[in-house]
Amino acid sequence: MNLLTAMRVFDRVCLLGSLSAAARDLNMSTTAVSRTIKELEEDLGVRLINRTTRRLSVTEAGRDYAPRARSLLDEISELQDSTRGLHKETRGLIRVSCSNVLGHTRITKLVPKFLEENPLTTIEFDLTARYVVGIVEEGYDVAIVSAARPIPL
């Protein structure tokens, strides 16, 4: 049983007041919703919903569980949304290594426009005479090289 899915199913059943309405809302079968609730109840060791063929009622344990489950689901949703939001725009420090000549003649001319388009970004340049840098070992995000011959990998 996936606890998060079970909590979502239980929340929908409580909110909509029926297994079939929750099933339609979640794009699940009524049987799958019922089975999920049953697995959640077995995991908790307590009945959350009394159900008959015609109606259901939330038990006392279910009434205690529902608002706390809703709170957790809201927190998870907020976490997901805020984390997704981090990737909507470029932000943070970008560490760049490139040759002195290439940096001064080409790359630095591109930086102002990039920073204007990405105001939450800062760029740290390491202008070097070295032909090869250890991108991962030295903590660079980007290494820009200009080579007349292929770079060995």
Side-chain angles (χ1 to χ4, degrees), residues 58-119:
V58 180
T59 65
E60 183 178 344
R63 286 190 299 274
D64 288 341
Y65 188 81
R68 296 178 74 190
R70 165 83 338 244
S71 177
L72 288 171
L73 291 170
D74 288 344
E75 283 286 324
I76 290 167
S77 181
E78 185 179 313
L79 173 63
Q80 294 293 94
D81 292 344
S82 68
T83 302
R84 284 183 189 110
L86 292 177
H87 300 289
K88 289 185 179 175
E89 53 189 31
T90 304
R91 64 175 56 213
L93 173 67
I94 300 174
R95 295 194 67 230
V96 179
S97 173
C98 71
S99 72
N100 287 322
V101 173
L102 191 59
H104 287 295
T105 61
R106 302 257 172 109
I107 305 303
T108 54
K109 293 177 183 177
L110 303 172
V111 172
K113 184 173 190 232
F114 178 84
L115 291 175
E116 182 181 316
E117 293 173 358
N118 302 278

Side-chain angles (χ1 to χ4, degrees), residues 5-21:
T5 299
M7 289 172 70
R8 284 186 177 129
V9 169
F10 175 72
D11 181 63
R12 285 283 133 202
V13 170
C14 289
L15 181 69
L16 299 174
S18 83
L19 297 176
S20 58

Side-chain angles (χ1 to χ4, degrees), residues 24 31 41 52-53 60 72-73 75-76 138 141 149:
R24 281 189 300 276
T31 303
E41 290 172 334
T52 66
T53 55
E60 183 178 344
L72 288 171
L73 291 170
E75 283 286 324
I76 290 167
E138 296 179 48
D141 297 300
R149 62 178 202 248

